[in-house]
């Protein structure tokens, strides 16, 4: 978004397909390599409690709760990992939006100043629908251990399903044709009576 707003004419030359591929691979490796120590440690844990997970997928917090071993490393490393990764992501987003805001304030026309933040609105919504369920799930697992299992399952499914379901909706609503189609679906239609 920073390049699209601050350097729109140079967008294609700055963000080449090769650079985008490198950024995607770096993001994938960052996430994958950060999880390797947790998964390696988890592979050697004995599980003597119930083998029934409280979620429909293998959530790390759920798995270490079932282990009959010292899980202190996993708990501390998981907390540090979440803090560092969220911290880096949040810092990157904050710095880029600070630069975007400075660029917006330098735009002379009022119409241009209003159009630029509108471009960022979908990205901010996408970030929120990713981070809010993630933070909510972490809070539930850390501080609401004795609450109803339904809360844990509900939050896990919100975290799993909300971002991929709402992401395309958020970005597609900015498309004029889709926006008009949705408004047409939601607007009351006149029912024409036919005489037989």
């Amino acid at each position: 978004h920073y390049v699209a707003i601050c350097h729109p004419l140079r967008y294609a030359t700055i963000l080449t397909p090769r650079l985008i591929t490198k950024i995607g691979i770096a993001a994938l490796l960052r996430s994958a390599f950060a999880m390797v120590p947790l998964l390696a440690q988890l592979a050697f844990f004995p599980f003597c409690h119930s083998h029934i997970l409280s979620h429909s997928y293998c959530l790390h917090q759920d798995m270490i709760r079932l282990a009959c071993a010292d899980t202190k490393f996993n708990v501390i490393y998981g907390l540090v990992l979440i803090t560092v990764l969220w911290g880096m992501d949040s810092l990157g987003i904050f710095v880029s939006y600070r630069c975007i805001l400075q660029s917006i304030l330098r735009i002379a026309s009022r119409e241009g100043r209003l159009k630029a933040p509108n471009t960022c609105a979908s990205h901010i919504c996408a970030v929120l629908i990713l981070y809010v369920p993630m933070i909510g799930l972490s809070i539930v697992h850390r501080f609401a251990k004795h609450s109803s299992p339904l809360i844990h399952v509900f939050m896990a499914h919100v975290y799993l399903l909300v971002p991929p379901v709402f992401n395309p909706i958020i970005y597609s609503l900015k498309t004029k044709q889709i926006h008009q189609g949705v408004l047409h679906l939601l607007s009351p239609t006149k029912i024409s009576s036919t005489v037989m």
Side-chain angles (χ1 to χ4, degrees), residues 5 104 107 109-121 174:
I5 290 172
I104 290 170
I107 296 173
S109 69
R110 185 176 184 273
E111 183 183 316
R113 270 183 270 155
L114 291 174
K115 189 177 179 181
N118 191 23
T119 306
C120 298
K174 298 292 286 177

Side-chain angles (χ1 to χ4, degrees), residues 99 101-109 113:
C99 294
L101 186 60
Q102 286 176 337
S103 296
I104 290 170
L105 293 175
R106 278 188 244 136
I107 296 173
S109 69
R113 270 183 270 155

Side-chain angles (χ1 to χ4, degrees), residues 40-188:
Q41 185 81 9
L42 199 60
F44 296 105
F45 282 157
F47 293 97
C48 55
H49 296 304
S50 166
H51 288 74
I52 300 171
L53 296 173
S54 61
H55 302 300
S56 57
Y57 58 95
C58 294
L59 188 66
H60 181 258
Q61 295 99 318
D62 205 17
M63 296 286 291
I64 61 173
R65 191 179 305 137
L66 300 177
C68 298
D70 184 19
T71 59
K72 197 176 292 182
F73 169 79
N74 282 57
V75 171
I76 293 171
Y77 183 81
L79 188 60
V80 168
L81 183 68
I82 287 171
T83 306
V84 169
L85 291 181
W86 284 358
M88 285 173 42
D89 292 346
S90 301
L91 182 64
I93 291 168
F94 175 76
V95 168
S96 66
Y97 274 103
R98 185 176 169 270
C99 294
I100 289 170
L101 186 60
Q102 286 176 337
S103 296
I104 290 170
L105 293 175
R106 278 188 244 136
I107 296 173
S109 69
R110 185 176 184 273
E111 183 183 316
R113 270 183 270 155
L114 291 174
K115 189 177 179 181
N118 191 23
T119 306
C120 298
S122 55
H123 181 257
I124 291 169
C125 289
V127 167
L128 287 175
I129 64 164
L130 174 68
Y131 279 102
V132 169
M134 191 185 301
I135 291 168
L137 182 63
S138 293
I139 288 171
V140 165
H141 269 281
R142 298 219 187 275
F143 302 113
K145 292 178 181 175
H146 303 294
S147 62
S148 169
L150 290 175
I151 293 173
H152 292 267
V153 172
F154 176 75
M155 285 304 297
H157 284 89
V158 165
Y159 165 68
L160 185 67
L161 298 174
V162 165
V165 168
F166 281 100
N167 227 351
I169 294 170
I170 286 171
Y171 283 109
S172 64
L173 284 178
K174 298 292 286 177
T175 308
K176 190 175 182 179
Q177 293 86 356
I178 294 174
H179 186 73
Q180 288 174 344
V182 169
L183 288 176
H184 179 71
L185 283 173
L186 297 176
S187 66

